Amino acid sequence: MLYYLLAVIVLIFDQLTKWLIVKNMVIGQSTELIPNILYFTSSRNRGAAWSILEGQRFFFFIITAVVLVIVIYYMQKMGRFKPFLGTALGLVIGGTLGNFIDRLFRGEVVDFIHVYIFKYSYPIFNVADSSLVIGVILILIYMFIEEKKEKKHG
Ligand SMILES: CCC[C@@H]1OC(=O)[C@@H](C)C[C@H](C)CCCCC(=O)CCC[C@@H](CC)/C=C/C=C(\COC)CC[C@@H](O)[C@@H](O)C[C@H](O)CNC1=O
């Protein structure tokens, strides 16, 4: 199905970028892309966002499995008939699998997108995280729109 293809494309792009970073940069090395805003910094994370739950690999496998089951259930139930929701779910699947593969084969997640927001160094993340966050935001927008429709039509 189309939205699973999107997930596969995200997954391939995520793994490709991580492979290039691992191959061409040493951990800690940083490349300036946009001065004071955007850098590629090779980093590893054994935790989740902001390195929470550092090293809890078993927990991450459980959470990943739960996330995938829920998202695939909604993809089969609703996502495949609704392009907006299907795209959002596809992005979440792609991002989840991207980080899962890292956790499975590397024991840690490769991060490299380093953004400074007003001098604050935002946690270094990767394509999979971006896809996850965008997917989650789109799902929230979808739910908000659905709720508005419900209220309107009673
Ligand atoms: C994005 C989810 C994180 C991703 O979750 C995953 O893999 C999922 C599939 C499995 C997790 C075990 C479960 C999610 C735990 C909840 C969580 O984490 C709260 C998230 C809030 C979110 C608001 C929407 C902030 C976002 C932050 C960041 C990303 O900003 C773009 C910083 C990312 C850097 O700390 C980077 O080192 C992280 C590293 O790459 C490992 N990534 C993960 O664990």
Side-chain angles (χ1 to χ4, degrees):
M1 203 159 355
L2 187 67
Y3 307 114
Y4 291 116
L5 182 66
L6 171 66
V8 168
I9 291 166
V10 164
L11 177 61
I12 290 167
F13 183 55
D14 173 62
Q15 288 301 309
L16 183 65
T17 51
K18 287 170 175 175
W19 180 75
L20 286 170
I21 293 294
V22 169
K23 191 165 174 290
N24 298 306
M25 293 178 80
V26 294
I27 292 183
Q29 185 183 343
S30 189
T31 306
E32 183 181 83
L33 297 172
I34 306 171
N36 300 324
I37 295 177
L38 180 62
Y39 297 76
F40 275 176
T41 305
S42 180
S43 165
R44 303 296 183 269
N45 183 349
R46 289 184 167 275
W50 289 285
S51 303
I52 56 170
L53 300 163
E54 181 99 24
Q56 306 289 336
R57 275 185 85 184
F58 182 69
F59 173 76
F60 288 131
F61 290 152
I62 300 290
I63 287 268
T64 300
V66 167
V67 164
L68 283 176
V69 165
I70 294 172
V71 169
I72 288 169
Y73 168 75
Y74 279 106
M75 180 71 96
Q76 295 304 102
K77 188 165 168 251
M78 303 156 72
R80 56 186 175 164
F81 311 113
K82 299 168 187 271
F84 188 85
L85 182 63
T87 303
L89 295 172
L91 287 171
V92 170
I93 294 172
T96 302
L97 288 176
N99 283 336
F100 173 65
I101 287 175
D102 274 22
R103 292 188 169 114
L104 198 58
F105 296 113
R106 296 182 201 274
E108 57 191 359
V109 177
V110 176
D111 291 319
F112 61 97
I113 305 173
H114 192 184
V115 177
Y116 280 86
I117 301 170
F118 307 116
K119 297 271 184 277
Y120 165 67
S121 164
Y122 190 83
I124 304 172
F125 58 95
N126 55 40
V127 168
D129 295 334
S130 315
S131 177
L132 261 166
V133 168
I134 293 166
V136 165
I137 291 168
L138 290 182
I139 289 169
L140 295 176
I141 292 171
Y142 170 81
M143 286 159 71
F144 179 73
I145 292 170
E146 283 302 301
E147 194 191 325
K148 297 274 278 187
K149 273 189 202 161
E150 284 293 308
K151 279 195 183 130
K152 202 164 154 212
H153 300 306

